[in-house]
Amino acid sequence: MVDYLVVGLGLAGISFCETLERNGKSFRVISDHSQKASTVAGGLYNPVILKRFTLSWRAHEQLTILPAFYAGLEKKLGVALDHPLRVLRRFVSAKEQNGWFEASDKPGMGELMSTDLISNTNPSIDAPFGYGEVLGTGRLDTELLQEAYRQYLVKKDLLVPETFDFDALELPETGVVYKDVQARQIVLAMGFGLKQDLYFNYLPLNGTKGELLTVKAPKLNETRVIKSSVFIIPLGDDLYRIGATYKWQDKTHLPTEAAREELETKLRSFLKCDYQVVDHVAGIRPTVADRRPLVGRHPAYKDLYVLNGFGSRGVMIAPYASKALYGFIESGKELPRDMDIERFRKRYEKHGAV
């Protein structure tokens, strides 16, 4: 008997497992590594929505947790994961400049948006109107995190590397049974795999496909993240990650030529140096109709929980949502109403589930 069975090992699953371990709880994990959203993510953490110059959902609360959480993972796993990076928003007009400074005056924004107009000094980038800088930003190496955490679980014999079989899940009055594993609670953190979930498939998880390129550009010489019609994230060794696309119809993990053309067209609109595409990846983000996470207890089974729906901001949301779910289960603390799946109870009552 373990305290928890966790299904899924993306940012949600890892963050919840880490929360459990730091609180002395026992657990087992089941994951087949089929969901790629966390692996191929750009990994940026940025509290400002740069399209509209607005604060992202509960950004301040998430930023109070994020640094220590990932620093603890770095220490435990013995790898460098968190890379502070300056994030610059490229302006395309004087009107955008004014919009930036107006936004920085709004409550809660001043400490996150620099009021200095940064002039462009990089001859490889066309930015005559300069940049605005977001503060407290960086990049998490999500691919390395997943691999290192997977190895950590394997060494501790805590990982069952298989596709979760819902037919093998038993939900008696108390606890859960899955094959030879008995647990007090089960948390499903399956990303877009929620669509195959018999218990939570009533939830409005849409999923958006995102594709990213990695390019080699020796003449770019940029150490900051540049956000324009696409973002440029420096990876070192003249490599940069370019992204991302947002497609709602295609639910495959296969990169497409159309997405590559879209990304390159946008990149060439402001990049003035040569580059070579060296990689092209795709994944399905677990996005929700109301753009809020899906966290909470199943309406009918008291030991069955979900942790999902982080969209493109999983690096920031995952530690925060995991802490909230743990407090809800263990201490009865209320979940924030805007991420509690109780908001979709009427959908459950209408559509039903197992």
Side-chain angles (χ1 to χ4, degrees):
M1 173 73 75
V2 293
D3 294 315
Y4 287 84
L5 179 61
V6 180
V7 183
L9 202 56
L11 284 169
I14 290 172
S15 295
F16 193 72
C17 289
E18 188 63 12
T19 301
L20 292 176
E21 192 155 80
R22 293 182 187 186
N23 285 279
K25 299 297 182 180
S26 59
F27 62 92
R28 297 284 296 279
V29 180
I30 297 173
S31 174
D32 61 3
H33 204 49
S34 63
Q35 299 304 310
K36 304 296 183 182
S38 295
T39 305
V40 305
L44 284 182
Y45 53 89
N46 160 35
V48 177
I49 299 172
L50 292 174
K51 185 175 182 179
R52 301 187 296 273
F53 305 158
T54 55
L55 191 66
S56 66
W57 176 75
R58 295 186 180 270
H60 287 288
E61 295 164 84
Q62 294 161 19
L63 287 175
T64 61
I65 297 172
L66 184 151
F69 185 86
Y70 290 120
L73 275 170
E74 287 183 316
K75 184 176 181 180
K76 181 166 82 173
L77 301 175
V79 292
L81 300 169
D82 186 2
H83 305 280
L85 284 174
R86 296 175 68 188
V87 173
L88 304 184
R89 169 60 154 82
R90 173 180 174 265
F91 298 134
V92 298
S93 66
K95 182 179 179 180
E96 276 200 342
Q97 291 177 347
N98 293 334
W100 176 271
F101 295 120
E102 288 173 5
S104 69
D105 284 335
K106 294 179 180 178
M109 301 297 285
E111 62 268 40
L112 300 176
M113 299 173 67
S114 172
T115 55
D116 294 329
L117 178 63
I118 300 175
S119 299
N120 178 50
T121 57
N122 189 333
S124 293
I125 297 177
D126 179 31
F129 294 95
Y131 307 98
E133 181 175 3
V134 186
L135 306 176
T137 56
R139 180 180 70 88
L140 190 78
D141 192 331
T142 55
E143 185 173 7
L144 178 58
L145 170 60
Q146 284 192 291
E147 181 56 33
Y149 207 84
R150 178 176 293 273
Q151 292 178 7
Y152 173 79
L153 294 179
V154 168
K155 288 179 182 177
K156 298 191 72 173
D157 197 27
L158 297 178
L159 178 65
V160 181
E162 67 179 40
T163 300
F164 188 73
D165 180 4
F166 280 95
D167 291 334
L169 177 62
E170 301 175 42
L171 294 167
E173 189 172 330
T174 300
V176 300
V177 178
Y178 179 78
K179 298 182 179 179
D180 61 345
V181 180
Q182 297 182 54
R184 292 183 172 85
Q185 286 95 200
I186 180 171
V187 174
L188 302 178
M190 302 169 64
F192 190 65
L194 183 79
K195 286 297 185 182
Q196 283 71 53
D197 180 343
L198 300 177
Y199 296 93
F200 289 107
N201 60 12
Y202 70 93
L203 294 171
L205 186 79
N206 298 329
T208 54
K209 182 175 183 176
E211 299 190 42
L212 302 99
L213 305 177
T214 301
V215 304
K216 191 172 184 66
K219 294 183 179 180
L220 180 49
N221 295 322
E222 186 57 71
T223 59
R224 305 162 300 183
V225 175
I226 306 297
K227 175 65 175 75
S228 186
S229 50
V230 291
F231 59 68
I232 299 176
I233 304 176
L235 304 177
D237 297 323
D238 297 325
L239 295 173
Y240 301 86
R241 184 154 288 163
I242 311 299
T245 60
Y246 290 81
K247 303 298 180 184
W248 286 265
Q249 301 302 320
D250 182 2
K251 305 300 185 185
T252 71
H253 291 95
L254 299 175
T256 64
E257 188 61 32
R260 173 171 171 162
E261 290 180 8
E262 176 185 338
L263 291 171
E264 289 200 70
T265 297
K266 291 179 177 178
L267 178 63
R268 286 193 295 265
S269 70
F270 65 97
L271 186 67
K272 298 165 65 177
C273 65
D274 293 333
Y275 65 89
Q276 177 186 2
V277 177
V278 296
D279 196 18
H280 181 186
V281 295
I284 309 297
R285 307 178 191 90
T287 53
V288 186
D290 63 2
R291 302 190 178 190
R292 297 291 180 264
L294 300 171
V295 183
R297 177 186 286 124
H298 190 275
Y301 300 99
K302 66 181 182 65
D303 296 317
L304 173 62
Y305 300 87
V306 66
L307 183 65
N308 208 319
F310 299 166
S312 60
R313 295 186 175 270
V315 171
M316 286 185 60
I317 295 175
Y320 169 77
S322 295
K323 180 181 179 181
L325 179 59
Y326 181 82
F328 173 70
I329 299 172
E330 294 292 334
S331 305
K333 296 179 180 178
E334 286 191 18
L335 288 168
R337 297 181 68 178
D338 49 1
M339 74 174 181
D340 190 340
I341 61 169
E342 186 66 20
R343 69 192 191 273
F344 296 116
R345 178 171 282 272
K346 288 184 179 179
R347 287 178 64 99
Y348 173 75
E349 293 171 349
K350 179 179 179 180
H351 298 289
V354 172

